[in-house]
Amino acid sequence: MPSMPPPIATAPTAPSTPDAAPPRSASRMSRLYEVMDLMLDSVGDPLALKSLAASASYSSFHFDRIFRALTGFSAVDYQRKRRLRRAAHLLRHEPDVAIVRIAQDCGFPSNAAFAKAFKQQFAMSAKAWREGGWRDYMDRQVGRESDVSFFVAEPDNLAAILAPYRPPAPGTVAARIVVRSLPPLALRYQRFFGQSGAALSIACNGFICEREQLDGAAPGRSWYGVFDEDPGFTGASEYCYDFGFGDVLPSGDGAEDPSLGLRVLPPGSYACLEFDGEWPRFRSMYEDWLDKQSLWRLDATRPHIQKVERGPEGRWRGWLALPVKKR
């Protein structure tokens, strides 16, 4: 994505506390990434542990042990939490869809099973969540500063990350948002678990420095950060973030390094906010634009994307892309 496409005409590394060291084999890591992506794409389908293990070429026992070492969770718990967070997204952004339908779409066998699991995860009913409880949860349990989006902060310049979130002046972010149709992007990435805020920023900055040494990447190269769930609902210990580089179409760049995962970011409509020398947050896009207009709503089936690159003067610039669909 070397430049922004034209706007749509109709639109004005390590886990936190694992019990064992994560797997070191590069090919093993890549296979586990693929299984996790399968779990995300099939969040509403029953996925047996045996089938997941087979797709990664492991026995069930070894797969679950390695998965837990990498993420801090068993594969079953990991999938259950992702289903609940997908439901949390839909409850907030799809107010006209019945709760029982959301439960079914997120893979729960009955409304009673969903209600019990949801309350265990979020300490409130799905109905209370939909009626505004999500905001209380985000502020109380996770904290307003947790929506870090992504900052490529230098290790000695963390003021932007450590500063608490402050809502923008009404309308200032909305006036800058343009809905665009983005093409697919083949992304070579490293996956980070259980990190957010300054720790994540420093880790991704380290990745950039490492790739510049290994690949001779130019200072103006574009880098992409990707996450599939609202960090305000996820929390640092369960946060999963992909960071890497890519092109609109697959290329050989990075293919020789099996330690990197490969995923194709889906095309579609994205609400885009360009920035230069500042660090806007996705939360401001939600609150100042998404929640206040009637044409677009969040598409929870596609990821949030951030592009960053260092400009000629050394300042970071890029854009945030929020996946949307028409109401």
Side-chain angles (χ1 to χ4, degrees):
M1 295 182 187
S3 61
M4 295 296 292
I8 292 177
T10 56
T13 255
S16 53
T17 55
D19 295 331
R24 296 184 179 181
S25 166
S27 59
R28 176 182 296 176
M29 294 289 287
S30 181
R31 293 204 305 272
L32 287 174
Y33 288 171
E34 292 175 1
V35 172
M36 290 173 186
D37 292 341
L38 172 64
M39 295 167 74
L40 180 64
D41 293 339
S42 307
V43 72
D45 302 326
L47 291 176
L49 178 60
K50 184 176 181 180
S51 298
L52 292 172
S55 66
S57 302
Y58 289 108
S59 68
S60 298
F61 172 78
H62 285 95
F63 172 76
D64 198 57
R65 179 178 60 81
I66 294 169
F67 194 97
R68 190 188 298 270
L70 179 64
T71 67
F73 301 95
S74 71
V76 172
D77 285 344
Y78 185 84
Q79 181 70 338
R80 179 180 61 83
K81 288 175 178 292
R82 285 207 129 170
R83 285 173 171 169
L84 288 168
R85 288 195 293 268
R86 174 67 63 82
H89 271 277
L90 295 175
L91 287 166
R92 175 184 175 185
H93 296 288
E94 304 279 358
D96 53 338
V97 179
I99 293 177
V100 64
R101 173 63 183 274
I102 290 176
Q104 293 171 351
D105 290 346
C106 292
F108 288 88
S110 69
N111 196 43
F114 171 71
K116 180 180 179 180
F118 193 91
K119 192 164 187 178
Q120 287 177 339
Q121 177 76 9
F122 296 107
M124 69 182 75
S125 68
K127 182 175 183 293
W129 179 275
R130 168 170 274 177
E131 293 174 349
W134 63 267
R135 186 181 297 275
D136 295 335
Y137 176 88
M138 184 164 58
D139 289 343
R140 183 180 65 253
Q141 299 287 74
V142 183
R144 295 185 68 84
E145 70 280 3
S146 66
D147 175 17
V148 298
S149 296
F150 169 71
F151 305 114
V152 186
E154 307 294 346
D156 59 349
N157 183 22
L158 301 180
I161 298 177
L162 299 177
Y165 172 79
R166 291 184 175 85
T172 57
V173 168
R176 297 165 54 190
I177 290 177
V178 179
V179 177
R180 303 179 186 272
S181 180
L182 299 185
L185 172 71
L187 182 72
R188 297 282 178 181
Y189 68 91
Q190 181 172 334
R191 182 159 288 173
F192 297 93
F193 293 97
Q195 298 184 58
S196 64
L200 178 61
S201 180
I202 293 173
C204 292
N205 187 273
F207 177 87
I208 291 175
C209 295
E210 179 183 88
R211 301 315 303 187
E212 287 177 342
Q213 292 179 349
L214 291 175
D215 305 336
R221 185 179 198 173
S222 296
W223 306 91
Y224 297 88
V226 181
F227 59 92
D228 297 282
E229 299 166 329
D230 190 328
F233 297 168
T234 306
S237 65
E238 300 174 15
Y239 196 38
C240 177
Y241 190 84
D242 293 345
F243 185 72
F245 54 90
D247 299 297
V248 175
L249 295 176
S251 70
D253 193 9
E256 73 284 354
D257 188 344
S259 68
L260 299 180
L262 172 64
R263 64 183 293 188
V264 177
L265 304 182
S269 298
Y270 290 82
C272 299
L273 175 66
E274 295 191 50
F275 61 87
D276 188 346
E278 58 175 323
W279 295 114
R281 306 192 185 200
F282 276 106
R283 181 165 182 174
S284 66
M285 298 176 70
Y286 276 83
E287 295 182 350
D288 196 54
W289 178 77
L290 186 64
D291 294 343
K292 295 181 179 180
Q293 52 78 52
S294 59
L295 181 59
W296 303 94
R297 65 176 54 177
L298 181 75
D299 185 350
T301 65
R302 290 183 286 130
H304 298 60
I305 307 172
Q306 181 171 20
K307 173 187 172 182
V308 290
E309 61 185 23
R310 195 187 295 276
E313 299 178 356
R315 296 192 310 177
W316 290 102
R317 64 188 182 186
W319 43 256
L320 304 181
L322 186 71
V324 294
K325 60 183 179 181
K326 286 190 175 180
R327 292 182 180 274

